[in-house]
Every structure is written in structure tokens, then in C-alpha cells.
């Protein structure tokens, strides 16, 4: 596939890295020469210095032969114009744009990005995507990662196995025998920085991070069996009243009437604006690193500190301070991947990486075949994929025990006619089934092939 990426920041670089590793023909454009030089030196891609919205730059990058343009610069207007130029002058089939300003995304403006007006096929809003990820983590406090599939009927949770975890040192096959009515499947395990697909004879050990696919109805029971019965937070302090913090607070006000929220916002004008937009949330103006202000926010009695400022250091330090002052748990927004390995030693319970969320969203539109959703795991080491089975798929009509599935993938659940089917040797996949699969990076291409039909692409 021939792909042009506008923007060589963290998101653009991450997308280019993934696509280049899969042998796609990638061109990346940015106005910063140092970013383009870095991309050229480190990745097998072509780099161009210039504006991604300028026709001559797009032409030099090969827009006339491109299958897709992905515009993820820091500026919404540049992303919009880049897609418009790619459509009008070069007839690029698929156009993806990152749009951060909520002013463009109001429901009553939903026709703005139609083919007749601004022909953008996929709009990605990082604030909304990250906000929903934060809300899922708040709802299921025992999980370190939460992703929903099949119209929210199937959930993948990443669960840390602690020393007192009831299911450690037990073969996975035996767990299925002990809980035959539990539609939960361990599809991946991260142990000592190694990610692998477990077999039925394998056992979980303390320190493992288990990736488990289950149903919406059984997710809390599953967390409980793994020793995580933490109660949902009802007293939350949010550091940062930006777009994400406001979205999270507003949504909690609508969905959870019992939850009490306090927001700490450093900018006074923004604090006033946020206070005007929220009904039950207390907004405090000041730094989330101010211990006196944290105490004024009753951090010592809070269930959860959610750090959502645009500064990684503030998010990390305020999360650590909150716990030291008595807060039961914390969740931090961390952009820089270099900080991710520091979270556990510092006592940060969970973190969200906005770049990873955006990259996952883009990948589901890059993948060939009937791919409905993609979630990237551990910086691209694996993906959780939801795909629709078609009559031509080699998976259809054969018992799972008789399928020669490639190494590095495991089926976690099947969604059929509104019901969840737990995968077992006696199950057959049928046309139109939605299949949730855990695939290591080496197996992703094979998963795509299984769900392709003719040369259909979207």
C-alpha cells in the first residue's frame, strides 16, 4: 500500500514506523527538517520537508499514486486542507484527518466532512478517543488496559497478576474446567518484558500481565477471579481542565450521579470557563503540584487521582504526590514513551498514551480485509483485532481444532447474532461472525489475509 503521512511528530512517526515495518510504501511530510532527517535515518520511508497541504509537496511525495493520506499535523486546518487537496487534485481514495478542535465536531455540523463538502473519510479526535479510554479505566479500576469490541459486548482487559492472585500457578485448561460458565479467554501474557501467546498447559505467575477477552456482563467477575475487586471510584480529583479533563468530568456528571469530582486547573481563565460548563464539579485554580491545593481538594480522602494536563512531568509527579498524601489510586496521561517504564516503580497504577490511542484508531483503517477495530499493545508488539468473517474466509466452516492457525495469534471471542460464543475446538466460525483475535506483530499480516475478500479495501 502507498501511504502519505502529513506530520512527523509522535503520532506520525509511530504510524510510519508501523507501516514501514509491514513493507508498505510510506512517504512522510513535515515542515521541520530535523524531524524529517530523523525519520529518514531511522525508518525505511521517504521524507519530504514542506507543508502537507501544498499541492507541489503532495505531488513530490507521490500523491498521484497514493492509496491513502493520513494527516496528523498539529493543526486541524492543515489536516483538512491536505485531505481536500489530495481529493481534488490527486483523487486519493482514503483520507484520514486528525481533528482536535471540538468546534468542528459538533453534532449539528456532522455534514461538514461529507464528500460534497470536505471529503474526509475518517475523522480522528484524540481528545474524545483518550477521554473514552480514561472513562473505561475509571469504570474498571482493576484493569490496566480496557478495550471494547463488537458494539461493547466484548471487552479485553489487561490484568496484573499479584502475589495473592487466586489463579496463578494453575494451568489455564484447569481454569476452564473450574469455571465452565465463564466466557473468558487468556489470549496473551506479558512476562519479564516478553509478550507471548499462552497454551492450555501454561500457568500464570506473579508479576504477569494477562490479556483476557470476556463479555461485558462477566468482566467484573473475571477481574475478581484475578484478585482485583477494587470498587469504582466515587471521589475523583482531576488534574487539568483541558479538553480531555472537561470531557471526562462532563461525561461522569451525566453517567454517574453519585460520583463527586474536583478539577485543578492552572490557568485562571480556563478554570472559570470549565466551572461555567459543569454543574456539580468543584473547580480549583492552581497547580496540581501544590500540596496545599491538593489537600484543599481533599486528596487524602479521594479514591482516584486522574492527571490529564498536557505536561507529562506534572502528570507523573502529581500522581505520585496524590498517593503519598493518601489518595487510593491514580491514573496518568503520559505522551512520552520513555516515561512508560517508570510508572510502576513510581507507584502509578495505570497510564494512558494518547499517541498509542490515535495510532490504534488509524490502523483499523489501514488494515486490509473486513477489519472493524484495532488496538495496539505494548508499542506495536501485538494487536487486538476485531474482524468480520466472510464466506470466502479460510476460517469459515471448519472446526477450530482442525484449523492450522499461524503461530502468534489466538481467538478470544466470537460475536454471532447478538450472542457471545467462547472459542473451543468444537466451534465453527460462520459468515458474518465478528471475531476478536490477539495477534503478535509477526502474525498481523496473516490475520488480515484470513479476512480479505477479493481486493476489497477500506
Amino acid at each position: 500500500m502507498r501511504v502519505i503521512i502529513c506530520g512527523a511528530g509522535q503520532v506520525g512517526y509511530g504510524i510510519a514506523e508501523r507501516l514501514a515495518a509491514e513493507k508498505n510504501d510510506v512517504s512522510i511530510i513535515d515542515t521541520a527538517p530535523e524531524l524529517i532527517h530523523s525519520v529518514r535515518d531511522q525508518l525505511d520511508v521517504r521524507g519530504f520537508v514542506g507543508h502537507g497541504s501544498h499541492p507541489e509537496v503532495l505531488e513530490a511525495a507521490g500523491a498521484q499514486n497514493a492509496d491513502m493520506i493520513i494527516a496528523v499535523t498539529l493543526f486541524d486546518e492543515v489536516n483538512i486542507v491536505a485531505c481536500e487537496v489530495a481529493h481534488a487534485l490527486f483523487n486519493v481514495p482514503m483520507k484520514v484527518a486528525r481533528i482536535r478542535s471540538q468546534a468542528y465536531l459538533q453534532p449539528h455540523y456532522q455534514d461538514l466532512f461529507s464528500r460534497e463538502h470536505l471529503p474526509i473519510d475518517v475523522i480522528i479526535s484524540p481528545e474524545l478517543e483518550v477521554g473514552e479510554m480514561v472513562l473505561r479505566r475509571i469504570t474498571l479500576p482493576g484493569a490496566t488496559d480496557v478495550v471494547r469490541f463488537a458494539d461493547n459486548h466484548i471487552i479485553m482487559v489487561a490484568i496484573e497478576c499479584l502475589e495473592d492472585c487466586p489463579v496463578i500457578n494453575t494451568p489455564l485448561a484447569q481454569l476452564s474446567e473450574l469455571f465452565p460458565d465463564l466466557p473468558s479467554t487468556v489470549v496473551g501474557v506479558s512476562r519479564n518484558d516478553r509478550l507471548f501467546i499462552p497454551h492450555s498447559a501454561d500457568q500464570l505467575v506473579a508479576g504477569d500481565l494477562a490479556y483476557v477477552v470476556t463479555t461485558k456482563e462477566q468482566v467484573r467477575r473475571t477481574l475478581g477471579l484475578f484478585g482485583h475487586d477494587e470498587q469504582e471510584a466515587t471521589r475523583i480529583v482531576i488534574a487539568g481542565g483541558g479538553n480531555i479533563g472537561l470531557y471526562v468530568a462532563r461525561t461522569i456528571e451525566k453517567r454517574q450521579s453519585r460520583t463527586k469530582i474536583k478539577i485543578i486547573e492552572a490557568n485562571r481563565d480556563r478554570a472559570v470557563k470549565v466551572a461555567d460548563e459543569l454543574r456539580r464539579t468543584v473547580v480549583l485554580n492552581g497547580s496540581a503540584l501544590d500540596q496545599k491545593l491538593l489537600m484543599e481538594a481533599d486528596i487524602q480522602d479521594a479514591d482516584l487521582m486522574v492527571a490529564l494536563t498536557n505536561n507529562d512531568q506534572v502528570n507523573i509527579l502529581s500522581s505520585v504526590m496524590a498517593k503519598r498524601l493518601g489518595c487510593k489510586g491514580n491514573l496518568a496521561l503520559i505522551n512520552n514513551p520513555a516515561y512508560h517504564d517508570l510508572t510502576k516503580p513510581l507507584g502509578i497504577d495505570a497510564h494512558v498514551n494518547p499517541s498509542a490511542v490515535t495510532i490504534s484508531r488509524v490502523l483499523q483503517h489501514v488494515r486490509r480485509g473486513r477489519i472493524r477495530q484495532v488496538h495496539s499493545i505494548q508499542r506495536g508488539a501485538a494487536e487486538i483485532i476485531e474482524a468480520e468473517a466472510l464466506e470466502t474466509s479460510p476460517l469459515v466452516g471448519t472446526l477450530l481444532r482442525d484449523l492450522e492457525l499461524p503461530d502468534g495469534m489466538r481467538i478470544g471471542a466470537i460475536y454471532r447474532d447478538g450472542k457471545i460464543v467462547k472459542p473451543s475446538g468444537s466451534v465453527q466460525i460462520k459468515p458474518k461472525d465478528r471475531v476478536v483475535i490477539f495477534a503478535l506483530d509477526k502474525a498481523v499480516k496473516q490475520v488480515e489475509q484470513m479476512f480479505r475478500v477479493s481486493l476489497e479495501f477500506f
Side-chain angles (χ1 to χ4, degrees), residues 24 100 106 136 139-140 148 195 203-204 225 232-233 247 290 305 318 355 369 379-380 393:
N24 292 286
R100 308 184 73 165
Q106 299 297 324
R136 290 196 292 269
T139 304
L140 297 171
R148 298 177 185 271
L195 188 62
Q203 302 179 16
L204 297 172
L225 289 174
E232 188 172 341
Y247 177 80
D290 184 339
M305 168 69 155
S318 63
S355 297
R379 304 176 202 173
S393 170

Side-chain angles (χ1 to χ4, degrees), residues 125-145:
S125 171
E127 280 79 7
L128 294 182
E129 301 282 346
V130 172
E132 284 297 327
M133 177 66 75
V134 169
L135 289 164
R136 290 196 292 269
R137 298 284 187 87
I138 292 173
T139 304
L140 297 171
T144 62
D145 200 358

Side-chain angles (χ1 to χ4, degrees), residues 75-94:
F75 305 101
D76 292 352
E77 290 73 19
V78 172
N79 297 337
I80 291 170
V81 174
C83 289
E84 171 69 23
V85 173
H87 171 79
L89 297 184
F90 304 107
N91 199 28
V92 177
M94 173 64 76

Side-chain angles (χ1 to χ4, degrees), residues 326-348:
C327 184
K328 295 183 178 67
N330 54 32
L331 169 62
L333 189 74
I334 303 177
N335 284 277
N336 191 337
Y339 294 145
H340 294 169
D341 293 336
L342 301 175
T343 56
K344 192 171 181 181
L346 289 173
I348 295 175

Side-chain angles (χ1 to χ4, degrees), residues 238-246 263-266 270-271 274 283 308-309:
I238 298 175
N243 288 337
I244 299 175
L246 176 60
I263 292 180
I264 299 174
E265 168 54 43
R270 180 65 184 179
V274 170
V283 180
L308 301 174
T309 77

Side-chain angles (χ1 to χ4, degrees), residues 425-442:
S426 60
V427 168
Q428 289 185 358
I429 293 175
K430 298 180 179 180
K432 297 186 179 180
D433 281 356
R434 289 157 69 172
V435 187
V436 176
I437 296 173
F438 185 96
L440 299 179
D441 56 353
K442 63 182 181 181

